[in-house]
Amino acid sequence: YQRRVRGTRRAGMLVMLRSTIGFYRTVFYFLLGGRFADCPHFTNELQARVQLYSLCLVLVLWNRPHYRTGTFQQDMKTNLRNVAIPGTGIPLSMVCVNKLLAYLFLLVAYPLICLVAAVWASRMEREPLSQAYSRQLLCPQDWFSFWRLNCGLASFHANATSARGYEMENKWTFLLLSLIHI
C-alpha cells in the first residue's frame, strides 16, 4: 500500500510539474511575441491556449486605448477595485498599479494562487490535487476566469477594429445616448 501511495503521489507531482512547465513555456512564447495561430504548445487543448493567451494579452493591451477609459490599465484599475483575490481581501486593482507588478503577478503569484485554489478544491470536491491544479492553472471553470477572458478579448477586439459599438459599454455614454433617442 505504501508503495502504491508513493507512486500515486509521484505521478501527481509529475502532472503538476508538466502543467507548470507548459504554463511557463506558453506564457513566455506569447510574451515574446508569439502568435496564437502558430503556438506550438497545448495544440490539442484549445481552452488552455486561449486561457494563457488571454493572460498575456492583458500585458499587450496595457497602454493601449480603451473604449471606457483612457487605457486598458486604467479600465482594469477601475473594474477590479471591487474584485479580490479569493480569501485575501486584496483587490486585484492593486496588481494594476504598474506593468512590472502585473508581470510578477502573472509569473509568480498566479501559479501560487492556482495551487492554493487547487488544494482547496481537492479537499472540497475530493479530486486529486494534481488534476485540480492543472485545471485551475490551464483551464479554469470559475465565473471570474470566464469574465476576465471576455473582458480581455472584447478589449482586444475593440482595439483591433475600432468598432464604435463598444462606446455603449460606458454606462454614462449609454444613458446619454438613450435619452437622446427616446
Side-chain angles (χ1 to χ4, degrees), residues 19-39:
S19 295
T20 304
I21 290 170
F23 169 83
Y24 282 111
R25 288 175 69 187
T26 309
V27 164
F28 280 114
Y29 170 82
F30 288 133
L31 290 178
L32 295 173
R35 291 173 14 105
F36 182 83
D38 302 328
C39 182

Side-chain angles (χ1 to χ4, degrees), residues 48 66 93-95 108-109 138 177:
H66 192 271
S93 60
M94 304 249 329
V95 175
V108 178
L138 304 173
L177 290 175

Side-chain angles (χ1 to χ4, degrees), residues 61-127:
L61 294 171
W62 192 266
N63 292 320
R64 291 192 186 171
H66 192 271
Y67 52 86
R68 269 192 304 254
T69 57
T71 65
F72 187 72
Q73 176 199 15
Q74 290 171 330
D75 191 66
M76 287 190 302
K77 283 167 68 174
T78 301
N79 282 320
L80 296 176
R81 66 179 176 228
N82 296 323
V83 180
I85 298 170
T88 67
I90 299 170
L92 279 171
S93 60
M94 304 249 329
V95 175
C96 304
V97 172
N98 67 53
K99 200 171 185 178
L100 177 60
L101 185 58
Y103 273 105
L104 287 172
F105 184 83
L106 173 62
L107 297 173
V108 178
Y110 181 77
L112 291 175
I113 291 168
C114 290
L115 179 60
V116 170
V119 168
W120 178 261
S122 69
R123 291 194 175 163
M124 298 305 289
E125 299 170 15
R126 304 278 190 230
E127 78 176 308

